Amino acid sequence: MPYRADGGAIDAPVRVLLVTSRESKRWVIPKGNQASGHSPHAAAALEAEEEAGVRGAICPTALGSYRYRKKRRNGASLMIDVDVFPLAVSSELGMWKEQGQRERRWFTLADAADAVDEPDLSDLIRSFNQAEFRSAARRTGFLQTVAGTSKVSHMFAWFQRLLPKTGNFFELFEAHAATVVAAADAMARLLQDGNADHIREVVEREDDADNITREMLRTVRETFLTPFDRGAISSLIGSLDDAIDEMHATVMAIDLYEVKDFDQEMKDMAAIIIDAARLVAEAMPLLRDVGRNGGRLHELTERLIRMEAHADEIHAIGVKHAFKAHGSGDTLRFIVSREVYKHLERIVDAFEAVANEIDGIVIDHA
């Protein structure tokens, strides 16, 4: 993170240099992969020179780190961890390696934090001097503000426990469904080109989904008022999580057995899984008003159940084709193919379970 002070005073305002990314043209800090033979901070300084045309003293201790999702050319979208090293700029080059590919601009800390897309990076930028750090650290809501100004902070925890809580159930359902869609897309790309990046993305998405599920279950325990029966909420998020867990199991089996070529029936089942995931993602926001959206929710669950039946047919055809092609001459390949088919079928079965849970909510509340 290249920075400079506006003046010589110890409390002089600090500015940060951002550059545009080459493809999306969004504002980012200079960054890249660690070059072979370079320490992390030295590699960061090299990236700053190549991308932003600046040199200076770089601190070997990272200010912190942030994560962002990077789109690869093969279609994979992978989570990248970035360590951020402060670089005190001493000189700006008139010409540099990526001058024609990027724009560079100095920002105040506040403006730089607003300009970047990644929330964690925004927090790091805001925390770069004391005043901004205090501002970022004081994230108090309305009730905390009232408690502080009215001098009842020592009683506030007790008071807060008496307040009804409604939780953010719908946001969590929608976030989980979006994660399931992303995992389904990555798995389908894996069955198209066999690139291991897609395996890694499914694993990351499954981890994200687990975090959402844990947050949902914690919210169920702590919430006074819930939009549906607590058991229905837990069952629905559990069935959603089962779907992405089965995707994870599928790509792990593909990785374990080093499968590179996939039958057309496998690709067809993956296409059904993508469509099922998107139907579920459409259904989640409709749960905010089940009474008004009951008809559409029922249409979506009917489609999910029909798709599961169709996937069963494709599964049977695919296993039969694999048996005829490899059953006698390459038994091991047939066993591996049957294993992949089994996992794909379980994913679709999990989506049928999601449909059944949604139907139960509609019956109870529509």
Side-chain angles (χ1 to χ4, degrees), residues 250 253 257 334-344 346:
T250 302
Y257 299 121
F334 166 69
I335 292 172
V336 170
S337 295
R338 186 177 61 181
E339 181 79 3
V340 173
Y341 276 115
K342 178 186 72 176
H343 284 296
L344 291 169
R346 287 177 175 173

Side-chain angles (χ1 to χ4, degrees), residues 23-43:
E23 295 181 1
S24 64
K25 300 303 179 183
R26 60 192 178 88
W27 290 107
V28 296
I29 58 173
K31 63 185 183 300
N33 294 321
Q34 184 174 342
S36 177
H38 289 78
S39 62
H41 69 284

Side-chain angles (χ1 to χ4, degrees), residues 79-94:
M79 194 66 77
I80 305 295
D81 291 298
V82 182
D83 289 327
V84 179
F85 297 90
L87 184 145
V89 174
S90 58
S91 63
E92 296 182 46
L93 306 178

